[in-house]
C-alpha cells in the first residue's frame, strides 16, 4: 500500500493523543501527507479507548464517517479497544486492519506491506479486516511519544502500562505491564522540544508515579522523583505539569520538589475513585481516604493556591446510598478544585461485574449529576478565591467570539480580549471575576517580577 494521505481520529486520554502524534510522524517520515479527517484521506487511523462507555458504538461511528468522506479509504484501528477485542472490531464494515498494543507502533510499516482493495471492490461486501494483535504479555517495549504542533501544551509520554489490578479496570489487559524509558532519554526528548519552542509539557502515562521500570526484565533503575528533579533543571521549558499520579505514589519529596520549582506548576490530578474505604477495598485501590486527605493537605500546606483535580467513579457494585454520601461529604470538605466524575460501567474480564450489589443505571446517573454539580461549585469557589491576583497565563491558539483563552499555573481557565500577540505566549495578567460561562476574566498589567 502506498497511500498519499492519512487522517487520524483519537478517542480517550492524553496518552492516546501523544501516541497518535507519534504515529502521524511515522507516516510523514514515509512521505505520507497528514490531512484533516473531513478531507477524504487514503488511510484513516482510529486510536481507540476502552475506559469510557460504548467503545464499540464510537468506533463504528467514526469508521462510518471516515468512509463517508472517502468510500475507498483503508481504515486501521489501534489503541486499547483494539487490543481487547480485535476480532470483534475486524468485523466492523469498512475496517481493513486492527493492530494490538505490541503492533501499533509498526502501523506505517505494516500498512506499507498490505495491498489496497481494487477500485471495483470499493463499497462491496468485504471480508473481515486483518488482525495484527499479539497477547498483551508481548507488549514489553516502551515506545516514546509526544503530541506536537496540535495544541499549545505538548503531552509527553514517559510511562506506559500498569501493574495494578483494580477490579474495575481493563488498562493492564489493554496496555500491558508498567514500563518506561530512562531519565536520560526523557531529558534528551525535552531538550529537543525546548529547541523547537515548546513552552509547556504535560507528563503523561498510565501509572505515571510508577516511572522507572526499564528493559525486558523491567528492572527498577530509576523513579519518578528522579525524573521530576532532572526535568526541573532543564532550561528552555517554562512549564511542566504532572497529568495524574496515584496518591500512594505522590511522595512528600515530589510535592516538595514541585513546591520549590519554577518550572513545575502547582497543579495536581489525584485519582480518588471513592471516598468510602469499603468501596476502595472492593475496587482494590492501594490507599484509603486518610492517605488521600493527607496528600491533599500536604499539597495545600506547601502550595496554598495549588489546583487539585479528582477522578471519581460512582455507582460501583456494592455502593449504597450511605457509601455515596460518604464520598460526597468527603469531597465537599476537601480543598480540591474540580472533579472528573464517571458513572461505573461494566468491563469484560474484570472482577467488579461479579461483585454483589449492582447499582441501577438510573441511580448511577443521579449520583453522577450530584457530584458534577458539586464539581461546578468547587471550581467556581476556587476561581473566585483568585479574583484580584496577578499571575502568568499561557494562551491557546483557539479564538472564539473575539476572545482567547489560556491557563494559569494552577490551572484556572482564563479568557481575555483577543490580541494576536497573546496567542501561544505566556503573559502577566490580573484576574478579575468569574464570567457567566465559568471562565476567569482577566486584564493585562505590567511585567511581573
Amino acid at each position: 500500500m502506498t497511500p498519499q494521505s492519512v487522517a487520524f481520529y483519537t478517542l480517550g486520554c492524553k496518552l492516546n493523543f501523544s501516541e497518535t502524534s507519534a504515529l502521524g510522524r511515522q507516516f510523514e517520515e514515509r512521505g505520507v501527507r497528514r490531512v484533516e479527517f473531513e478531507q477524504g484521506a487514503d488511510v484513516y487511523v482510529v486510536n481507540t479507548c476502552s475506559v469510557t462507555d460504548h467503545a464499540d458504538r464510537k468506533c463504528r461511528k467514526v469508521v462510518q464517517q471516515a468512509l463517508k468522506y472517502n468510500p475507498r479509504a483503508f481504515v486501521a484501528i489501534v489503541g486499547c479497544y483494539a487490543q481487547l477485542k480485535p476480532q470483534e472490531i475486524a468485523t466492523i464494515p469498512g475496517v481493513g486492519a486492527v493492530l494490538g498494543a505490541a503492533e501499533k507502533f509498526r502501523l506505517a510499516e505494516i500498512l506499507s506491506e498490505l495491498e489496497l482493495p481494487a477500485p471495483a471492490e470499493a463499497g462491496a461486501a468485504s471480508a473481515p479486516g486483518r488482525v495484527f494483535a499479539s497477547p498483551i504479555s508481548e507488549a514489553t517495549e516502551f515506545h516514546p511519544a509526544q503530541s506536537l504542533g496540535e495544541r499549545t501544551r505538548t503531552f509527553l509520554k514517559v510511562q506506559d502500562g500498569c501493574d495494578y489490578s483494580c477490579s474495575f479496570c481493563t488498562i493492564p489487559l489493554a496496555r500491558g505491564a508498567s514500563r518506561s524509558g530512562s531519565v536520560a532519554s526523557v531529558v534528551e526528548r525535552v531538550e529537543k522540544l525546548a529547541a523547537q519552542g515548546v513552552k509547556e509539557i504535560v507528563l503523561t502515562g498510565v501509572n505515571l508515579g510508577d516511572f522507572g521500570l526499564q528493559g525486558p526484565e523491567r528492572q527498577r533503575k530509576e523513579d519518578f522523583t528522579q525524573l521530576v528533579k532532572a526535568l526541573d533543571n532543564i532550561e528552555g521549558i517554562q512549564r511542566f505539569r504532572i497529568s495524574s499520579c496515584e496518591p500512594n505514589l505522590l511522595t512528600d519529596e515530589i510535592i516538595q520538589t514541585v513546591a520549590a520549582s519554577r518550572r513545575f506548576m502547582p497543579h495536581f490530578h489525584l485519582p480518588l475513585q471513592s471516598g468510602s474505604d469499603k468501596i476502595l477495598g472492593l475496587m482494590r485501590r492501594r490507599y484509603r481516604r486518610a492517605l488521600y486527605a493527607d496528600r491533599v493537605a500536604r499539597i495545600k500546606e506547601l502550595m496554598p493556591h495549588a489546583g487539585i483535580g479528582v477522578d471519581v467513579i460512582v455507582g460501583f457494585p456494592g455502593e449504597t446510598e450511605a457509601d455515596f454520601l460518604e464520598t460526597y461529604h468527603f469531597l465537599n470538605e476537601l480543598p480540591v478544585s474540580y472533579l472528573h466524575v464517571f458513572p461505573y460501567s461494566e468491563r469484560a474480564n474484570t472482577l467488579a461485574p461479579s461483585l454483589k450489589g449492582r447499582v441501577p443505571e438510573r441511580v448511577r446517573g443521579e449520583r453522577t449529576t450530584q457530584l458534577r454539580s458539586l464539581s461546578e461549585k468547587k471550581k467556581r469557589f476556587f476561581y473566585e478565591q483568585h479574583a484580584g491576583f496577578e499571575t502568568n497565563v499561557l494562551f491557546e491558539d483557539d479564538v472564539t467570539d473575539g476572545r482567547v483563552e489560556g491557563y494559569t499555573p494552577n490551572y484556572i481557565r482564563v479568557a481575555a480580549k483577543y490580541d494576536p500577540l497573546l496567542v501561544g505566549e505566556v503573559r502577566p495578567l490580573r484576574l478579575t471575576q468569574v464570567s457567566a460561562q465559568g471562565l476567569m476574566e482577566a486584564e493585562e498589567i505590567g511585567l511581573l517580577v
Side-chain angles (χ1 to χ4, degrees):
M1 179 189 303
T2 55
Q4 299 299 308
S5 60
V6 61
F8 292 84
Y9 193 92
T10 306
L11 296 162
C13 62
K14 296 173 181 176
L15 189 58
N16 271 8
F17 279 96
S18 69
E19 291 183 340
T20 293
S21 290
L23 293 173
R25 285 190 290 276
Q26 290 182 4
F27 278 93
E28 290 168 357
E29 289 168 1
R30 291 171 174 264
V32 181
R33 181 170 50 93
R34 183 169 178 176
V35 300
E36 296 299 323
F37 190 89
E38 63 274 15
Q39 288 183 258
D42 296 331
V43 172
Y44 281 91
V45 181
V46 185
N47 194 353
T48 62
C49 174
S50 67
V51 174
T52 54
D53 281 335
H54 310 302
D56 175 76
R57 179 178 60 80
K58 292 179 179 178
C59 185
R60 288 177 182 271
K61 180 68 172 179
V62 176
V63 172
Q64 290 170 0
Q65 291 299 306
L67 295 177
K68 184 182 77 172
Y69 289 114
N70 181 7
R72 298 179 177 179
F74 188 93
V75 181
I77 312 296
V78 301
C80 292
Y81 183 45
Q83 176 64 38
L84 292 173
K85 296 186 177 181
Q87 300 298 337
E88 178 180 307
I89 297 171
T91 65
I92 296 176
V95 170
V98 184
L99 286 80
E103 293 79 17
K104 63 185 173 184
F105 284 101
R106 293 179 48 234
L107 174 62
E109 173 191 345
I110 289 174
L111 293 191
S112 70
E113 299 171 357
L114 297 179
E115 293 184 4
L116 280 169
E121 299 174 3
S126 58
R130 297 278 301 276
V131 173
F132 304 87
S134 305
I136 195 59
S137 58
E138 295 187 21
T140 58
E141 186 177 351
F142 176 75
H143 294 274
Q146 74 258 355
S147 64
L148 187 62
E150 299 165 356
R151 304 185 179 198
T152 302
R153 298 183 303 284
T154 291
F155 298 122
L156 180 67
K157 173 185 168 185
V158 299
Q159 185 273 340
D160 201 351
C162 185
D163 292 342
Y164 287 8
S165 56
C166 298
S167 62
F168 56 84
C169 186
T170 59
I171 294 300
L173 302 175
R175 284 189 170 269
S178 179
R179 57 202 185 275
S180 60
S182 64
V183 169
S185 66
V186 177
V187 167
E188 182 180 359
R189 289 160 61 198
V190 169
E191 289 175 339
K192 289 180 180 178
L193 290 172
Q196 295 175 53
V198 170
K199 292 183 172 62
E200 180 173 309
I201 292 177
V202 182
L203 304 181
T204 66
V206 174
N207 190 351
L208 194 56
D210 198 35
F211 174 91
L213 293 169
Q214 300 166 24
E217 285 76 37
R218 298 194 313 118
Q219 296 179 338
R220 183 166 296 285
K221 300 179 180 180
E222 296 165 315
D223 61 30
F224 189 54
T225 304
Q226 290 172 283
L227 177 64
V228 170
K229 289 184 174 181
L231 295 180
D232 197 38
N233 291 321
I234 296 179
E235 298 289 342
I237 299 295
Q238 295 185 40
R239 293 181 168 190
F240 287 100
R241 292 189 193 274
I242 299 171
S243 63
S244 180
C245 186
E246 294 286 303
N248 54 300
L249 296 175
L250 186 66
T251 64
D252 265 8
E253 193 171 8
I254 294 173
I255 296 172
Q256 290 167 7
T257 300
V258 173
S261 172
R262 291 185 298 110
R263 295 185 176 87
F264 274 85
M265 298 294 97
H267 171 219
F268 296 83
H269 197 90
L270 299 180
L272 170 65
Q273 312 307 7
S274 177
S276 162
D277 280 346
K278 183 192 88 175
I279 299 301
L280 287 173
L282 291 173
M283 289 178 167
R284 292 188 170 181
R285 301 293 287 169
R286 300 195 178 195
Y287 55 86
R288 295 298 180 262
R289 52 184 277 162
L291 183 144
Y292 192 95
D294 176 78
R295 296 296 79 197
V296 171
R298 185 60 172 153
I299 291 169
K300 286 295 189 177
E301 176 188 352
L302 297 181
M303 292 164 278
H305 301 299
I308 303 176
V310 185
D311 286 339
V312 194
I313 296 173
V314 297
F316 189 80
E319 183 187 72
T320 64
E321 182 68 14
D323 296 326
F324 170 70
L325 290 176
E326 192 175 0
T327 294
Y328 186 97
H329 293 308
F330 181 64
L331 288 167
N332 189 43
E333 295 167 4
L334 279 178
V336 295
S337 313
Y338 60 92
L339 314 176
H340 286 170
V341 186
F342 306 92
Y344 168 74
S345 59
E346 288 77 4
R347 291 288 178 268
N349 300 314
T350 61
L351 176 64
S354 67
L355 299 176
K356 295 180 180 179
R358 182 183 183 276
V359 179
E361 298 278 356
R362 174 185 58 79
V363 176
R364 299 182 207 182
E366 291 171 352
R367 293 175 183 176
T368 298
T369 299
Q370 289 181 62
L371 281 188
R372 287 178 177 167
S373 176
L374 176 62
S375 177
E376 287 303 312
K377 292 175 184 177
K378 296 190 80 69
K379 180 180 176 182
R380 177 170 284 273
F381 177 73
F382 180 65
Y383 279 26
E384 288 174 345
Q385 286 181 306
H386 291 80
F389 277 50
E390 295 180 354
T391 187
N392 288 309
V393 177
L394 173 58
F395 283 98
E396 309 283 334
D397 54 5
D398 294 328
V399 181
T400 305
D401 297 327
R403 311 282 281 172
V404 62
E405 299 176 5
Y407 285 98
T408 65
N410 57 352
Y411 212 61
I412 291 175
R413 184 75 170 176
V414 173
K417 182 179 178 181
Y418 171 67
D419 181 334
L421 296 180
L422 291 179
V423 176
E425 298 295 331
V426 177
R427 287 297 185 89
L429 295 177
R430 179 179 292 106
L431 307 181
T432 57
Q433 62 183 0
V434 183
S435 70
Q437 292 73 35
L439 301 176
M440 178 64 80
E441 300 284 342
E443 59 187 12
E444 286 201 82
I445 57 175
L447 291 176
L448 297 180
V449 295

